[in-house]
Amino acid sequence: MSIHTETSPTETAPDVSNEFVRAEHLVKDFGQHRAVNDVSLSVAKGEVIALIGPSGAGKSTLLRCLNLLETPSSGSLQIAGERIVFEGDNLKRPQVLRLRRHTGMVFQSFNLFPHLTAAKNVALAQMRVLGRSKKEAMDRALTQLDRVGLASKADAYPSQCSGGQQQRIGIARALAMDPDLMLFDEPTSGLDPEVGAEILAVMRALAGEGTTMIIATHEMEFARHVSHRVVVMVEGAIIEEGAPEQVMSAPTHERTQKFLSAVLGR
Amino acid sequence: MSTVTPLSWLWEWPHWVPTLLPGLGVALLLTVISCGIGYPLGFLLALMTEARSKPLKWTALVLVEVGRGIPILVLLFVVYQGLPSVGILFDALPSACIAFVWSAAAYSAEMIRVSIGTVPRGQSDASYALSMSRFDTYRYIVLPQAARISIPPLVSLTITMFHATSLASVITVSELMHIAYQQGAIYFNYMTVFTAAAVIYLVITVPAAIFADRLSKRLGGVTSVRQTAFRRRRTPAPIVTGI
């Protein structure tokens, strides 16, 4: 299973009736600031969603609400049939961990563990969370590193890897947990455009394999060609969503038009 | 001993070294006890100050702030001469141990707490995102990185604690300074004996300080947690305004 395939995911449209994630009326407040404002979103199994919008629009916070790194202030979230309604401090730890188990996250700043080698970065959670033996976890770590083209870096520390390599290790680390949903938080924003292209190639291949993904990104071309659906967020709210061609070429919302013209330089 | 002339201490001090050596033993013993027990306690206190339970947190904060806020000399007097008046009696050496352990625990707690705080937030985020428990996140991600950061200051604190053991002389613990003072008083040659004592302190602390410096450079070098966390190349995300 090589990652370097060139299938276009848009050819294999997901079955939208097969809903996997359903967020309803999600709200996240930080003090006076409402970072996520009444967001409802559903994602089908195998769907690739590009989350676009200006900086500070709440894209990251929305992603962090979906894996409960942030606890939403209100609303509800259902992943793989399990539903949590957020009201006050009602979250139970086991519930959080169960829901989170379905997700994997890739960060803008990689967040690799600097004191562990690449292979151990990928193996640790497998051992601690999934209870895999050290041997099995390391074997799978090597498989995942190979998948992102970095088997040769297995024994390297993050500080010995380039930014692009670190991000690919970050992807391998998330994939090793066999997530059903991958969350990408601006995975290429911290990288040179050329290096970013490596990462995008890996993500394109994942999309081709039918991985369910939500990608917060500023890469408009990537959003247009790889995603099944583009979601536009402004000031914490989703203002428009639809097929990439429709949103990118003929946005209905005035603010989407403004945003796209600013970001695409038209 | 020979007659005391204004400069005779310059060559006579080595004669006093053997007399003082047992005192060095006591000083080292006090250092080992105060740090050996104090640092693990400091670690516990550091964790307690971060605890969500209010009573735990406040107990730890009081112990740390009192331990740091009161001079060690005062702690020594309180334990050795103050507590007996409320019916608690310790010998000189145990009194010194209690005071030094408290002090070492309080200072190290603060260092360890700061080190834990230095580990970037993204590290625990990444760990939690992998469904790791809070305990595992601390055990495998945060603490190993914090340990690396806190080792150089803890080595420096150990040197400071070794210095501080000289204070125990005032409550009659027969460590290095106590013996030196007694000998000086008996023979009325303070300068000679204190020079010998000073040399003994230096023989321990100068190599220790060099070691601490090297260690801190090494830990701050290639494998530095801080460096790797921030060294990545960053092109800022395009900031799109006008909406």
Side-chain angles (χ1 to χ4, degrees):
Chain A
M1 178 172 55
S2 169
I3 203 101
H4 303 285
T5 49
E6 275 301 321
T7 27
S8 170
T10 29
E11 288 165 13
T12 53
D15 175 12
V16 233
S17 59
N18 187 4
E19 183 184 69
F20 184 67
V21 181
R22 183 193 194 93
E24 281 177 310
H25 306 293
L26 278 188
V27 170
K28 177 63 187 176
D29 291 323
F30 292 109
Q32 293 292 309
H33 175 62
R34 181 153 288 190
V36 172
N37 187 6
D38 194 19
V39 164
S40 297
L41 180 70
S42 68
V43 185
K45 193 103 189 147
E47 199 175 13
V48 177
I49 292 188
L51 192 56
I52 66 171
S55 297
K59 306 187 292 294
S60 290
T61 311
L62 176 59
L63 291 183
R64 292 169 63 89
C65 284
L66 294 180
N67 69 355
L68 302 174
L69 279 186
E70 303 289 351
T71 308
S73 310
S74 62
S76 72
L77 177 62
Q78 180 176 321
I79 297 181
E82 180 157 1
R83 183 157 182 266
I84 296 185
V85 179
F86 305 101
E87 40 194 14
D89 275 343
N90 65 336
L91 266 196
K92 297 278 178 292
R93 194 78 194 149
Q95 216 177 1
V96 170
L97 289 176
R98 253 199 327 273
L99 218 71
R100 200 176 270 163
R101 272 292 303 112
H102 295 290
T103 67
M105 190 173 216
V106 174
F107 298 86
Q108 181 184 347
S109 49
F110 326 142
N111 295 350
L112 293 186
F113 306 132
H115 58 301
L116 301 177
T117 60
K120 283 185 181 152
N121 260 278
V122 183
L124 178 64
Q126 295 183 59
M127 287 152 64
R128 300 305 308 170
V129 178
L130 304 181
R132 288 176 184 159
S133 70
K134 184 169 184 188
K135 187 178 177 307
E136 190 189 357
M138 287 302 261
D139 283 350
R140 285 180 186 246
L142 287 180
T143 310
Q144 293 299 343
L145 285 172
D146 191 37
R147 200 173 168 196
V148 296
L150 283 178
S152 62
K153 285 283 181 183
D155 294 324
Y157 284 89
S159 59
Q160 297 163 326
C161 298
S162 70
Q165 290 171 338
Q166 289 192 42
Q167 190 58 298
R168 283 189 279 161
I169 297 168
I171 294 173
R173 179 174 70 176
L175 289 175
M177 301 298 286
D178 306 325
D180 305 307
L181 167 69
M182 284 286 283
L183 306 169
F184 290 85
D185 187 2
E186 301 196 19
T188 59
S189 296
L191 298 166
D192 291 340
E194 199 182 341
V195 179
E198 290 172 21
I199 305 300
L200 296 178
V202 170
M203 291 163 62
R204 193 184 294 265
L206 285 176
E209 290 166 15
T211 314
T212 315
M213 306 200 276
I214 304 179
I215 306 160
T217 185
H218 288 292
E219 304 277 353
M220 293 303 144
E221 282 309 300
F222 181 79
R224 180 196 290 264
H225 295 298
V226 179
S227 70
H228 300 109
R229 184 150 51 112
V230 170
V231 173
V232 186
M233 259 184 106
V234 171
E235 286 171 11
I238 292 178
I239 57 163
E240 180 158 1
E241 60 182 299
E245 276 310 315
Q246 183 257 306
V247 174
M248 310 285 264
S249 310
T252 54
H253 202 291
E254 189 198 348
R255 300 174 89 179
T256 314
Q257 290 165 12
K258 270 189 179 176
F259 170 70
L260 286 172
S261 68
V263 81
L264 297 173
R266 305 196 283 240
Chain B
M1 293 286 159
S2 51
T3 31
V4 178
T5 63
L7 288 178
S8 61
W9 57 274
L10 275 174
W11 55 85
E12 282 184 357
W13 65 263
H15 299 300
W16 292 96
V17 170
T19 320
L20 297 182
L21 278 182
L24 173 63
V26 176
L28 289 174
L29 176 72
L30 276 174
T31 313
V32 169
I33 290 174
S34 56
C35 299
I37 301 177
Y39 294 174
L41 284 179
F43 173 67
L44 284 181
L45 287 174
L47 293 184
M48 281 165 69
T49 52
E50 303 290 307
R52 272 173 295 184
S53 143
K54 283 272 158 61
L56 267 186
K57 186 189 171 102
W58 282 103
T59 312
L61 278 176
V62 167
L63 285 171
V64 169
E65 290 312 319
V66 170
R68 281 170 8 116
I70 299 179
I72 296 183
L73 190 58
V74 178
L75 282 179
L76 282 168
F77 279 129
V78 167
V79 176
Y80 185 61
Q81 283 171 326
L83 290 184
S85 62
V86 293
I88 306 170
L89 215 76
F90 291 110
D91 283 342
L93 191 65
S95 299
C97 288
I98 292 168
F100 288 138
V101 164
W102 188 356
S103 181
Y107 278 101
S108 62
E110 193 61 10
M111 287 171 180
I112 292 165
R113 192 187 62 78
V114 169
S115 302
I116 291 175
T118 319
V119 177
R121 170 84 193 280
Q123 290 291 308
S124 41
D125 276 354
S127 179
Y128 291 142
L130 290 164
S131 304
M132 299 252 283
S133 67
R134 211 183 300 259
F135 179 82
D136 280 352
T137 298
Y138 253 71
R139 163 80 181 74
Y140 293 99
I141 305 302
V142 177
L143 292 182
Q145 297 185 52
R148 199 169 277 188
I149 296 167
S150 65
I151 283 170
L154 286 180
V155 173
S156 302
L157 178 60
T158 308
I159 298 173
T160 307
M161 290 312 296
F162 174 65
H163 283 157
T165 57
S166 62
L167 292 169
S169 62
V170 301
I171 60 165
T172 76
V173 174
S174 58
E175 51 65 67
L176 185 51
M177 204 52 213
H178 188 73
I179 297 178
Y181 191 77
Q182 279 184 334
Q183 294 297 315
I186 293 169
Y187 296 99
F188 205 67
N189 57 353
Y190 292 108
M191 193 60 187
T192 318
V193 187
F194 288 167
T195 304
V199 169
I200 294 175
Y201 279 116
L202 285 175
V203 164
I204 300 290
T205 54
V206 170
I210 292 170
F211 168 73
D213 199 48
R214 291 235 174 110
L215 188 70
S216 133
K217 282 213 182 79
R218 214 174 74 98
L219 292 178
V222 198
T223 51
S224 161
V225 165
R226 273 163 292 188
Q227 239 184 357
T228 52
F230 295 111
R231 207 175 49 184
R232 65 204 146 80
R233 189 191 236 135
R234 292 205 53 162
T235 3
I239 292 173
V240 183
T241 48
I243 290 193

